[in-house]
Coordinates of all heavy atoms in Angstrom, one line a residue:
R1 N -5.3 18.9 -26.1 CA -6.0 18.0 -25.2 C -4.9 17.3 -24.2 O -3.9 16.9 -24.7 CB -6.7 16.9 -25.9 CG -7.8 17.4 -26.8 CD -8.2 16.3 -27.8 NE -9.0 16.9 -28.9 CZ -8.4 17.5 -30.0 NH1 -7.2 17.6 -30.1 NH2 -9.2 18.0 -30.9
F2 N -5.2 17.3 -23.0 CA -4.3 16.7 -22.0 C -5.1 15.6 -21.2 O -6.3 15.7 -21.0 CB -3.8 17.6 -21.0 CG -2.9 18.8 -21.7 CD1 -3.5 20.0 -21.9 CD2 -1.6 18.5 -22.1 CE1 -2.8 21.0 -22.5 CE2 -0.9 19.5 -22.7 CZ -1.5 20.8 -22.9
T3 N -4.4 14.6 -20.7 CA -5.0 13.6 -19.9 C -4.1 13.2 -18.7 O -2.9 13.3 -18.9 CB -5.4 12.3 -20.7 OG1 -6.0 11.4 -19.8 CG2 -4.2 11.7 -21.3
M4 N -4.7 12.7 -17.7 CA -3.9 12.2 -16.6 C -4.1 10.7 -16.4 O -3.8 10.1 -15.4 CB -4.3 12.9 -15.3 CG -3.9 14.4 -15.3 SD -4.5 15.4 -13.9 CE -4.2 17.0 -14.5
E5 N -4.7 10.1 -17.5 CA -4.9 8.7 -17.4 C -4.2 8.0 -18.6 O -4.5 8.4 -19.8 CB -6.5 8.4 -17.6 CG -7.3 9.1 -16.5 CD -7.1 8.4 -15.1 OE1 -6.6 7.3 -15.0 OE2 -7.6 9.1 -14.2
F6 N -3.3 7.1 -18.4 CA -2.5 6.6 -19.4 C -3.3 5.8 -20.5 O -3.0 6.0 -21.7 CB -1.5 5.6 -18.8 CG -0.6 4.9 -19.8 CD1 0.4 5.6 -20.5 CD2 -0.7 3.6 -20.2 CE1 1.2 5.1 -21.4 CE2 0.1 3.0 -21.1 CZ 1.1 3.7 -21.8
D7 N -4.3 5.1 -20.1 CA -5.1 4.4 -21.1 C -5.9 5.3 -22.1 O -6.3 5.0 -23.2 CB -6.1 3.4 -20.5 CG -7.2 4.2 -19.7 OD1 -6.9 4.8 -18.7 OD2 -8.4 4.0 -20.1
H8 N -6.0 6.6 -21.7 CA -6.7 7.6 -22.6 C -5.9 7.8 -23.8 O -6.5 8.2 -24.9 CB -6.9 8.9 -21.8 CG -8.0 8.9 -20.8 ND1 -8.3 10.0 -20.1 CD2 -8.8 7.9 -20.4 CE1 -9.3 9.8 -19.3 NE2 -9.7 8.5 -19.5
L9 N -4.6 7.6 -23.8 CA -3.8 7.8 -25.0 C -4.2 6.9 -26.2 O -4.0 7.2 -27.3 CB -2.3 7.5 -24.7 CG -1.7 8.4 -23.6 CD1 -0.2 8.0 -23.4 CD2 -1.8 9.9 -24.0
K10 N -4.9 5.8 -25.8 CA -5.4 4.9 -26.9 C -6.8 5.2 -27.3 O -7.4 4.7 -28.2 CB -5.4 3.5 -26.4 CG -4.0 2.9 -26.2 CD -4.0 1.4 -25.8 CE -2.6 0.9 -25.7 NZ -2.6 -0.6 -25.3
L11 N -7.5 6.2 -26.6 CA -8.9 6.5 -26.8 C -9.0 7.7 -27.7 O -10.2 8.0 -28.1 CB -9.6 6.6 -25.5 CG -9.6 5.4 -24.6 CD1 -10.4 5.7 -23.3 CD2 -10.2 4.2 -25.2
H12 N -7.9 8.5 -27.9 CA -8.0 9.7 -28.7 C -6.7 9.8 -29.5 O -5.7 9.6 -28.9 CB -8.2 10.9 -27.8 CG -8.7 12.1 -28.6 ND1 -7.9 12.8 -29.5 CD2 -9.9 12.7 -28.6 CE1 -8.6 13.8 -30.0 NE2 -9.8 13.8 -29.6
P13 N -6.8 10.2 -30.7 CA -5.6 10.2 -31.5 C -4.7 11.4 -31.3 O -3.5 11.4 -31.7 CB -6.1 10.2 -33.0 CG -7.5 10.9 -32.9 CD -8.0 10.4 -31.5
D14 N -5.2 12.4 -30.6 CA -4.4 13.6 -30.4 C -4.6 14.1 -29.0 O -5.3 15.1 -28.7 CB -4.9 14.7 -31.4 CG -4.0 16.0 -31.3 OD1 -2.9 15.9 -30.8 OD2 -4.5 17.0 -31.8
I15 N -3.9 13.4 -28.0 CA -4.0 13.8 -26.6 C -2.6 13.6 -25.9 O -1.9 12.6 -26.3 CB -5.1 13.0 -25.9 CG1 -5.5 13.5 -24.6 CG2 -4.7 11.5 -25.8 CD1 -6.8 12.9 -24.1
Q16 N -2.3 14.4 -25.0 CA -1.0 14.3 -24.3 C -1.2 13.9 -22.9 O -2.1 14.4 -22.2 CB -0.2 15.6 -24.5 CG 0.0 16.1 -25.9 CD 0.7 17.4 -25.9 OE1 1.8 17.6 -25.4 NE2 0.1 18.4 -26.6
Y17 N -0.2 13.1 -22.4 CA -0.2 12.7 -21.0 C 0.4 13.7 -20.1 O 1.5 14.2 -20.3 CB 0.5 11.4 -20.8 CG 0.4 10.8 -19.4 CD1 -0.7 10.1 -18.9 CD2 1.6 11.0 -18.6 CE1 -0.6 9.6 -17.6 CE2 1.6 10.4 -17.3 CZ 0.5 9.8 -16.8 OH 0.5 9.3 -15.6
L18 N -0.3 13.9 -18.9 CA 0.3 14.8 -17.8 C 0.3 14.0 -16.6 O -0.7 13.3 -16.2 CB -0.6 16.0 -17.6 CG -0.6 17.1 -18.7 CD1 -1.6 18.2 -18.3 CD2 0.7 17.7 -18.8
P19 N 1.4 14.0 -15.8 CA 1.3 13.4 -14.5 C 0.4 14.2 -13.6 O 0.2 15.4 -13.8 CB 2.8 13.5 -14.0 CG 3.6 13.7 -15.2 CD 2.7 14.5 -16.1
Y20 N -0.3 13.5 -12.7 CA -1.2 14.1 -11.8 C -0.4 15.1 -10.9 O 0.5 14.8 -10.3 CB -1.9 13.1 -10.9 CG -2.8 13.6 -9.9 CD1 -4.1 13.9 -10.3 CD2 -2.5 13.8 -8.6 CE1 -5.1 14.4 -9.3 CE2 -3.4 14.4 -7.7 CZ -4.7 14.6 -8.0 OH -5.6 15.2 -7.1
P21 N -0.9 16.4 -10.9 CA -0.2 17.4 -10.1 C -0.5 17.2 -8.6 O -1.6 17.5 -8.1 CB -0.8 18.7 -10.6 CG -2.1 18.3 -11.1 CD -2.0 16.9 -11.6
F22 N 0.4 16.6 -7.8 CA 0.2 16.1 -6.5 C 0.5 17.2 -5.5 O 1.5 17.8 -5.5 CB 1.1 14.9 -6.2 CG 0.8 14.3 -4.8 CD1 -0.4 13.7 -4.6 CD2 1.7 14.5 -3.8 CE1 -0.6 13.1 -3.3 CE2 1.5 13.9 -2.5 CZ 0.3 13.2 -2.3
D23 N -0.5 17.6 -4.7 CA -0.4 18.6 -3.7 C 0.3 18.1 -2.4 O -0.3 17.5 -1.6 CB -1.8 19.2 -3.3 CG -1.7 20.4 -2.4 OD1 -0.6 20.8 -2.0 OD2 -2.8 20.9 -2.1
F24 N 1.6 18.4 -2.3 CA 2.4 17.9 -1.1 C 1.8 18.4 0.2 O 2.0 17.8 1.2 CB 3.8 18.2 -1.3 CG 4.4 17.9 -2.7 CD1 5.0 18.9 -3.4 CD2 4.4 16.7 -3.2 CE1 5.5 18.7 -4.7 CE2 4.9 16.4 -4.5 CZ 5.5 17.4 -5.2
T25 N 1.3 19.6 0.1 CA 0.9 20.3 1.4 C -0.3 19.6 2.1 O -0.6 19.8 3.2 CB 0.5 21.7 1.1 OG1 -0.7 21.8 0.2 CG2 1.6 22.5 0.5
R26 N -1.0 18.7 1.3 CA -2.1 17.9 1.9 C -1.6 16.7 2.7 O -2.4 16.1 3.4 CB -3.0 17.4 0.8 CG -3.7 18.6 0.0 CD -4.6 18.0 -1.0 NE -5.8 17.5 -0.3 CZ -6.8 16.8 -0.9 NH1 -6.7 16.4 -2.2 NH2 -7.8 16.4 -0.3
V27 N -0.3 16.5 2.6 CA 0.2 15.3 3.3 C 1.4 15.8 4.3 O 2.5 15.4 4.1 CB 0.8 14.2 2.3 CG1 1.0 12.9 3.1 CG2 -0.2 14.0 1.2
P28 N 1.0 16.5 5.3 CA 2.0 17.0 6.3 C 2.5 16.0 7.3 O 3.4 16.2 8.0 CB 1.3 18.1 7.0 CG -0.2 17.6 7.0 CD -0.3 16.9 5.7
L29 N 1.8 14.8 7.4 CA 2.1 13.9 8.4 C 3.4 13.1 8.1 O 3.7 12.9 7.0 CB 0.9 12.9 8.6 CG -0.4 13.5 9.0 CD1 -1.5 12.4 8.9 CD2 -0.3 14.1 10.4
K30 N 4.0 12.7 9.2 CA 5.1 11.7 9.1 C 4.5 10.4 9.4 O 3.5 10.2 10.0 CB 6.2 12.1 10.1 CG 6.9 13.4 9.8 CD 8.1 13.7 10.7 CE 8.7 15.0 10.4 NZ 9.9 15.3 11.4
R31 N 5.3 9.3 9.0 CA 4.8 8.0 9.3 C 4.8 7.8 10.8 O 5.7 8.2 11.5 CB 5.7 6.9 8.6 CG 5.5 6.9 7.1 CD 6.5 5.9 6.5 NE 6.3 4.6 7.0 CZ 7.0 3.6 6.6 NH1 8.1 3.8 5.9 NH2 6.8 2.4 7.1
R32 N 3.7 7.1 11.3 CA 3.6 6.8 12.7 C 3.5 5.3 13.0 O 2.7 4.6 12.5 CB 2.3 7.5 13.2 CG 2.4 9.0 13.3 CD 1.0 9.6 13.4 NE 1.0 11.0 13.9 CZ 1.3 12.0 13.1 NH1 1.7 11.8 11.8 NH2 1.3 13.2 13.5
K33 N 4.4 4.8 13.8 CA 4.5 3.5 14.2 C 3.6 3.2 15.4 O 3.9 3.8 16.4 CB 5.9 3.0 14.5 CG 6.1 1.5 14.7 CD 5.7 0.7 13.5 CE 5.9 -0.8 13.7 NZ 5.4 -1.6 12.6
T34 N 2.5 2.5 15.2 CA 1.6 2.3 16.3 C 1.4 0.9 16.8 O 0.6 0.6 17.7 CB 0.2 2.8 15.9 OG1 -0.2 2.0 14.8 CG2 0.2 4.3 15.5
T35 N 2.1 -0.1 16.2 CA 2.0 -1.5 16.5 C 3.3 -2.2 16.3 O 4.1 -1.8 15.5 CB 0.9 -2.1 15.7 OG1 0.8 -3.5 16.0 CG2 1.1 -1.9 14.2
E36 N 3.5 -3.3 17.0 CA 4.7 -4.1 16.8 C 4.6 -4.9 15.6 O 5.6 -5.2 14.9 CB 4.9 -5.1 18.0 CG 5.2 -4.4 19.3 CD 6.5 -3.6 19.2 OE1 7.5 -4.1 18.6 OE2 6.6 -2.5 19.7
K37 N 3.4 -5.2 15.2 CA 3.2 -6.0 13.9 C 3.4 -5.1 12.7 O 3.2 -3.9 12.8 CB 1.8 -6.6 13.9 CG 1.5 -7.7 14.9 CD 0.2 -8.4 14.7 CE -0.1 -9.5 15.7 NZ -1.4 -10.1 15.5
L38 N 3.8 -5.7 11.6 CA 3.9 -5.0 10.4 C 2.5 -4.8 9.8 O 1.7 -5.8 9.7 CB 4.8 -5.8 9.4 CG 6.2 -5.8 9.8 CD1 7.0 -6.8 8.9 CD2 6.9 -4.4 9.7
R39 N 2.2 -3.6 9.5 CA 0.8 -3.3 9.1 C 0.7 -3.1 7.5 O 1.5 -2.2 7.0 CB 0.3 -2.0 9.8 CG -1.1 -1.6 9.3 CD -1.6 -0.4 10.2 NE -2.0 -0.9 11.5 CZ -2.5 -0.1 12.5 NH1 -2.5 1.2 12.3 NH2 -2.8 -0.6 13.6
V40 N -0.2 -3.8 6.9 CA -0.5 -3.6 5.4 C -1.8 -2.9 5.3 O -2.8 -3.3 5.8 CB -0.5 -5.0 4.7 CG1 -0.8 -4.8 3.2 CG2 0.8 -5.8 4.9
G41 N -1.7 -1.8 4.5 CA -3.0 -1.0 4.4 C -3.5 -1.0 3.0 O -2.8 -1.3 2.0
H42 N -4.8 -0.8 2.9 CA -5.4 -0.6 1.6 C -6.6 0.3 1.7 O -7.4 0.2 2.7 CB -5.9 -2.0 1.1 CG -6.7 -2.0 -0.2 ND1 -6.1 -1.6 -1.4 CD2 -8.0 -2.3 -0.4 CE1 -7.1 -1.7 -2.3 NE2 -8.2 -2.2 -1.8
S43 N -6.8 1.2 0.8 CA -7.8 2.3 1.0 C -8.7 2.5 -0.3 O -8.3 3.3 -1.2 CB -7.1 3.6 1.3 OG -8.1 4.6 1.5
P44 N -9.7 1.7 -0.5 CA -10.5 1.8 -1.7 C -11.5 2.9 -1.6 O -12.2 3.1 -0.6 CB -11.2 0.5 -1.8 CG -11.4 0.1 -0.4 CD -10.2 0.6 0.4
T45 N -11.6 3.6 -2.8 CA -12.8 4.5 -2.9 C -14.0 3.7 -3.5 O -15.1 3.8 -3.0 CB -12.4 5.7 -3.9 OG1 -11.7 5.2 -5.0 CG2 -11.5 6.7 -3.2
K46 N -13.7 2.9 -4.5 CA -14.6 2.0 -5.1 C -14.0 0.6 -5.1 O -13.0 0.4 -5.8 CB -15.1 2.4 -6.5 CG -15.9 3.7 -6.5 CD -16.3 4.0 -8.0 CE -17.2 5.2 -8.0 NZ -17.6 5.5 -9.4

């Protein structure tokens, strides 16, 4: 059993943690400066 959620390690006695396999090819963009102000972002799904 493998999990990608750290808290799952407490929910099952025999499970191993795996880092999320991140697909670098989905993020081809470089950072883009579009404003003089410093911009703080937040992107909620829920």
Side-chain angles (χ1 to χ4, degrees):
R1 300 165 194 83
F2 300 101
T3 180
M4 295 173 191
E5 306 285 345
F6 179 72
D7 68 295
H8 284 180
L9 298 180
K10 293 184 177 181
L11 300 179
H12 197 288
D14 185 17
I15 194 167
Q16 300 180 59
Y17 180 80
L18 290 176
Y20 180 82
F22 185 70
D23 184 1
F24 314 121
T25 63
R26 298 186 70 190
V27 192
L29 298 174
K30 295 182 180 180
R31 289 176 62 185
R32 288 165 163 76
K33 186 65 178 173
T34 60
T35 176
E36 292 300 316
K37 292 185 177 183
L38 291 170
R39 177 175 286 179
V40 180
H42 175 63
S43 180
T45 44
K46 293 182 179 179

